[in-house]
């Protein structure tokens, strides 16, 4: 049996669940060397409780820990469509050189995840000789379902 191409996926059907009510989302963006996300020597920048964590712009390991960095919030959304559109804008502003991803499908997936109250990341890389750059657009749910007692970094107005 042939698997559906990702462009053919109905994300509303595939990702079951009811939209989560009473939440909003915080947008974060990061662009930097891929090694910052992969190498152990940068671990202290990515884990709460270390001196490097609070001042670093490197994304935390756990998505929910973005909420501990209010200085990095790019936007706060109460509307699902606006939140997924912001993610798409990040792609359009800084697209990969080559990709197999369909940005329309990625946006549909992100929209559904956001609507369900799940933290969402849209990522792409720029592999170049000696310059491997990663770009990440994050949409973090608040209050977060992980419920770690993290305060809202930027309440909606």
């Amino acid at each position: 049996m042939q698997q559906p191409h990702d462009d053919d996926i109905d994300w509303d059907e595939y990702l079951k669940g009811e939209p989560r009510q009473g939440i909003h989302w915080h947008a974060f963006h990061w662009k930097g060397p891929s090694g910052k996300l992969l190498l152990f020597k940068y671990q202290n920048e990515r884990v709460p409780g270390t001196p490097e964590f609070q001042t670093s712009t490197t994304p935390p390991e756990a998505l929910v820990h973005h909420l501990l960095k209010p200085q990095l919030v790019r936007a706060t959304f109460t509307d699902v469509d606006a939140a997924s559109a912001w993610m798409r804008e990040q792609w359009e502003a800084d697209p990969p050189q080559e990709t197999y991803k369909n940005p329309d499908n990625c946006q549909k997936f992100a929209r559904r995840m956001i609507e369900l109250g799940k933290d969402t990341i849209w990522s792409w890389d720029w592999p170049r000789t000696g310059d491997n750059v990663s770009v990440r657009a994050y949409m973090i749910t608040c209050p977060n379902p992980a419920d770690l007692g993290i305060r809202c970094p930027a309440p909606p107005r």
Side-chain angles (χ1 to χ4, degrees), residues 125-137:
D125 297 306
W126 286 6
R128 296 181 188 154
T129 306
D131 184 28
N132 290 324
V133 174
S134 291
V135 183
R136 304 286 187 266

Side-chain angles (χ1 to χ4, degrees), residues 6 11 91 101-111 122:
D6 67 352
W11 291 113
W91 171 279
K101 296 179 182 181
N102 176 330
D104 293 334
N105 184 60
C106 291
Q107 185 175 358
K108 289 175 189 173
F109 174 78
R111 187 199 181 286
W122 193 345

Side-chain angles (χ1 to χ4, degrees), residues 13-54:
E13 178 64 28
Y14 187 75
L15 297 171
K16 303 275 187 205
E18 293 297 318
R20 202 163 151 227
Q21 302 298 314
I23 58 175
H24 58 275
W25 304 273
H26 300 293
F28 297 84
H29 179 270
W30 183 79
K31 179 179 176 181
S34 299
K36 288 267 198 169
L37 303 173
L38 303 171
L39 300 175
F40 184 73
K41 69 180 181 179
Y42 299 107
Q43 188 71 13
N44 285 346
E45 294 179 20
R46 303 191 68 206
V47 179
T50 63
E52 299 90 343
F53 177 79
Q54 203 57 42

